[in-house]
Amino acid sequence: MNKDIVMIADQYDRIDGRNAYKSDIKRLTLGAPTLEINKNMQIAVQIWKQAANGELEISTELPIHQVLDLMIFLSRTLLYFREAYRMPLLYDPEKPAVERIGVQGGVMPIAVYTENPNIDQDIQKFSQALSDLGELNGERLRVLSRIFEEME
């Protein structure tokens, strides 16, 4: 295991959503990056899976800012879909932009991906999947909300 790990969440396989108790993701860690591509970052999140030989190995590593960007992207998407039911197609084909979020002197444009030739069907399935995952996501969002309140 990386000697530069500072925080660890073991036994992640027990709470990995619908894969709980059968997930191959065993551990989450925070610490100095291990992958060469992330070496210029100070902190990264590592996702550890169990290899065939039983050893844990890093499956994925993301710089911490990318994890936060994903949280912003997901949160904005979840907010969008709370109101999307008001539109017949769940989006406006003439205005697919959802929001432009200012980050680091630039913007992260969030939009419905209208270049998808099956967007009308796929957005319906996506919306239903979000609804089906409501309990799993809702619990995690409440935990995040509580933690964010504590941070302020």
Side-chain angles (χ1 to χ4, degrees), residues 32-50:
T34 59
L35 301 180
E36 191 61 37
I37 193 168
N38 296 326
K39 285 294 183 186
N40 62 342
M41 300 297 154
Q42 294 174 299
I43 300 174
V45 173
Q46 296 91 15
I47 298 173
W48 297 74
K49 288 188 174 184
Q50 190 166 2

Side-chain angles (χ1 to χ4, degrees), residues 6 14-15 26 35 37 42 52 58 75 81 111 120 125 145:
V6 175
R14 295 181 179 188
I15 62 157
K26 304 299 182 186
L35 301 180
I37 193 168
Q42 294 174 299
I58 292 178
S75 298
F81 277 92
D120 291 350
K125 287 189 255 179
S145 178

Side-chain angles (χ1 to χ4, degrees), residues 52-144:
N53 65 5
E55 298 279 323
L56 292 185
E57 60 186 25
I58 292 178
S59 169
T60 305
E61 179 179 78
L62 289 173
I64 197 165
H65 76 275
Q66 289 179 355
V67 174
L68 293 170
D69 290 345
L70 286 169
M71 290 172 57
I72 292 167
F73 179 46
L74 175 62
S75 298
R76 189 58 191 100
T77 297
L78 291 172
L79 277 173
Y80 173 81
F81 277 92
R82 277 190 182 172
E83 301 298 322
Y85 73 92
R86 298 174 192 263
M87 294 174 273
L89 298 174
L90 299 180
Y91 73 103
D92 182 346
E94 302 299 315
K95 297 178 193 166
V98 173
E99 185 174 354
R100 293 171 46 90
I101 298 176
V103 179
Q104 201 171 337
V107 295
M108 179 174 24
I110 299 174
V112 174
Y113 187 59
T114 56
E115 292 180 38
N116 173 349
N118 299 317
I119 189 61
D120 291 350
Q121 297 84 19
D122 289 347
I123 199 169
Q124 296 287 335
K125 287 189 255 179
F126 186 85
S127 179
Q128 184 59 53
L130 284 178
S131 179
D132 294 346
L133 293 169
E135 185 177 330
L136 286 174
N137 293 339
E139 178 183 16
R140 286 161 169 82
L141 289 168
R142 284 187 295 281
V143 169
L144 268 175

